[in-house]
Each structure stands twice: as structure tokens, then as C-alpha cells.
Amino acid sequence: MKRSAKHESGSSMVTVAVVQAASVAFDRKRTLAKALDLTRDAASQGAKLVLFPEAFISGYPRGLDFGAVVGWRTDAGREDFKRYFESAVEVPGPTVDALSKAARANSVYLVMGVIERERGTLYCCVLFFAPDGTFLGKHRKVMPTASERLIWGYGDVSTLPVFDTPLGKMGAVICWENYMPLLRTFMYSQGIEIYCAPTADHRPVWSATMQHIATEGRCFVLGCNQFNRRRDFPKNYSTAFGDESDTVFSRGGSCIVSPFGEVRAGPIPWDISSGQFHGFGIWGAHPKCQMAVGTDFRGDDLRSVLPTRSRRCGSGCSCPWGKMR
């Protein structure tokens, strides 16, 4: 199924793909193969940017409690986490190399939601790749939501990049990070024009959030979520949602929104027969409609609330903090 939308601005038109699909949960190899196929499919239909959902490789563990209560963990819960940990992605590593090759082979900007593994910690992460295969960088989710904090570590301000590309200035904010006003403001202050919002939030109100951000930031917003059912998870997956194979775990709702808050594609519903979509939107670069942050906003205003690994940034530094006045 294909959803399309056009925005006339007198500038060149760009096709982007928002991929709404299900991971092969806890199976990195099969999920990667699926991602490569979907990237190839999207590129064959003209996409220059391909966005995947939050935690696509290797899954968002909806409904799992990992056997944890205050002061206690079950052996079964520890095994669940071990399986999740082993399916995660090392950055850099073989999965990153494969995604880099896919971006180059298909000449696309590839934005991929992964679970990153570093030492003993998992991070919800977005990886960015250029059409020549260059790994541009990553964003780690700064604040995992609710029970996610049991399984994911915290990101920090060192991985909140906005990349200057021929398509526009591009970055990503993950799921409920989008409800953090200062984080959004930091992205606006970097001049973001293509605001990628991979998520696991399938509530109807999510599309309103995407419209608000597009209007507030005067940027194109790409909301991207999975559609999956119980059968997309292993049989030995103990969840409060039951074991009926057709039970919908995530309803999708992916969308593409213009800088005026107009929904250009989506929200993509689900089809019980397939549940897999590419949402396509077509836009022209919007003429000079960025938000002016204002001279009173400084890097220190945000740094006081977001964790940072280092305070060495100064006026001579090339990072975003050093550029702020």
C-alpha cells in the first residue's frame, strides 16, 4: 500500500519513505535481512530517504516485564534480557557495516532504529547513513520512557546531532522524547528541517503530536512506528497481552507532516491481512520557514537539564554548544 502527498514550493521535489513494518523480534540476522529488502523496495520506488521505526533491530519488547519487581528478578526474566541483549547491535560492528552498504547500494539516506549494545548496557538508538555509505552518526534516546528504564541506559547531549544534507538539515527525536520541550528546542536551534520521529507510541493522539511539532518547529516531521501482532514475537514470550496470534501489539499510525502542520501522508492505518506498509510523501524544500529560537537561548540553558559527558565545549569548539551565543 502506498500513500503519497505533494507539496509545491518551486524547489526540487524529494520522495521519502516511512517504513511501517514488524521486526523479527530478538532475531538480529532476520530483522536485518528484512530491513535491507524494505530499503531496496523503497529506493526502487524513488525514495531518497528511508526511515525505520524505533528499535526496529531487533525489536521493541512490548508487554515484557523481564521478571522484575522491586528487589527481585526471576530467572526467566534474566533469560529474557539475555536474549534481548544478544540480539542487540554493536556500534560500530557488522550490522552497521551491512546498513552502510545498503545505503550506498540504494543511494539513500537511511535512518534506522536499533537497540545498541555497549559493554553491559543497552541503548535505544537511531543510526544515520548517507547515500555514499558513510555512517554519519547516532542518537541515543536521552530519557527512556517508564519501564524502558529497566532495560535501556540513558543517552546524553553528545548524541543529539542534526546533519546538514542536500535534502535539508536532518535529525531524530525518539518516541516520548518528543514530549520534552527543551530537547525539541535544541533541535530547532540547530535548524532542523527534516525531523525524524521513530516511535513505539501507537495512540491516536500521536499524530496530533507530530502536527504540533511540525508547526512549532516549521519543519517536515516523519512519524514512524511498527505494525505488529503477537505472532511476530517468539512463542516463549510471556506478555500480559495474551497468546492469540492475531492480537495487535502495535497499531502503526505512521505519518508525514508539512511545516504548516498539514498531514501529507497517513496516519497509516493497519490492514489485518498484511499490516506492512511503506508510507511515501513527496515534498519540495520549504522556503525559509524555520523557527527563530531567540537570542536569550544559550547552550547552558539546555545543558543544565540534559546529561552531558563533558563540559569542555567553548566558543572555539565545532560542536553545537560552541556555536551558540
Side-chain angles (χ1 to χ4, degrees):
M1 178 178 178
K2 175 172 154 181
R3 294 292 181 95
S4 65
K6 291 187 177 181
H7 176 71
E8 304 287 348
S9 72
S11 300
S12 59
M13 305 297 285
V14 177
T15 303
V16 301
V18 171
V19 180
Q20 180 167 294
S23 305
V24 185
F26 308 138
D27 192 325
R28 182 178 58 248
K29 183 177 180 179
R30 291 174 62 197
T31 302
L32 175 61
K34 185 172 186 176
L36 300 184
D37 286 344
L38 291 169
T39 300
R40 190 180 308 112
D41 188 11
S44 73
Q45 298 184 56
K48 300 301 181 184
L49 165 64
V50 184
L51 172 64
F52 281 79
E54 177 181 16
F56 190 74
I57 305 174
S58 292
Y60 184 84
R62 189 180 300 276
L64 274 190
D65 60 17
F66 292 91
V69 296
V70 176
W72 187 256
R73 291 282 299 280
T74 66
D75 289 341
R78 292 179 186 276
E79 287 300 313
D80 283 338
F81 185 77
K82 179 174 180 289
R83 174 172 58 176
Y84 195 41
F85 185 86
E86 290 175 346
S87 71
V89 174
E90 292 182 338
V91 181
T95 300
V96 174
D97 293 343
L99 293 171
S100 176
K101 290 177 182 178
R104 183 173 66 249
N106 294 286
S107 297
V108 296
Y109 284 94
L110 180 59
V111 183
M112 178 65 65
V114 306
I115 299 303
E116 179 193 4
R117 179 178 71 213
E118 184 179 35
R119 298 185 180 181
T121 302
L122 299 181
Y123 298 93
C124 182
C125 195
V126 172
L127 307 180
F128 300 85
F129 300 87
D132 64 358
T134 301
F135 173 47
L136 296 174
K138 66 184 178 184
H139 164 49
R140 284 177 174 173
K141 193 171 187 177
V142 170
M143 178 58 66
T145 305
S147 297
E148 293 172 359
R149 297 170 200 171
L150 173 70
I151 53 174
W152 297 342
Y154 293 69
D156 58 55
V157 78
S158 69
T159 66
L160 284 172
V162 170
F163 301 101
D164 196 353
T165 78
L167 304 184
K169 293 183 178 180
M170 176 175 61
V173 180
I174 304 170
C175 202
W176 275 28
E177 286 185 320
N178 287 283
Y179 294 120
M180 300 172 67
L182 285 176
L183 194 152
R184 295 199 310 270
T185 301
F186 181 50
M187 302 305 279
Y188 304 151
S189 77
Q190 297 183 78
I192 191 167
E193 296 167 310
I194 306 171
Y195 186 114
C196 299
T199 188
D201 191 337
H202 59 182
R203 300 171 303 157
V205 298
W206 183 253
S207 59
T209 297
M210 299 292 93
Q211 289 178 275
H212 164 245
I213 292 171
T215 307
E216 178 182 64
R218 286 295 189 259
C219 50
F220 293 97
V221 174
L222 281 57
C224 186
N225 194 8
Q226 295 194 40
F227 176 96
N228 56 36
R229 305 184 187 84
R230 172 63 183 86
R231 66 169 174 259
D232 294 311
F233 294 83
K235 290 183 178 179
N236 58 336
Y237 186 85
S238 179
T239 169
F241 302 139
D243 288 321
E244 291 294 329
S245 64
D246 285 335
T247 298
V248 174
F249 276 20
S250 182
R251 299 183 178 90
S254 304
C255 61
I256 298 171
V257 186
S258 83
F260 292 117
E262 300 162 333
V263 178
R264 294 304 193 183
I268 305 173
W270 59 94
D271 179 341
I272 296 303
S273 64
S274 67
Q276 180 170 293
F277 307 92
H278 299 166
F280 286 86
I282 304 172
W283 75 58
H286 199 276
K288 302 294 183 184
C289 60
Q290 296 188 93
M291 173 185 174
V293 174
T295 56
D296 289 338
F297 179 83
R298 300 178 299 113
D300 289 342
D301 297 334
L302 185 63
R303 188 161 53 190
S304 64
V305 235
L306 292 180
T308 174
R309 288 179 175 173
S310 169
R311 300 209 173 211
R312 63 179 178 270
C313 300
S315 60
C317 182
S318 62
C319 81
W321 294 120
K323 296 178 182 177
M324 288 186 177
R325 298 290 186 269

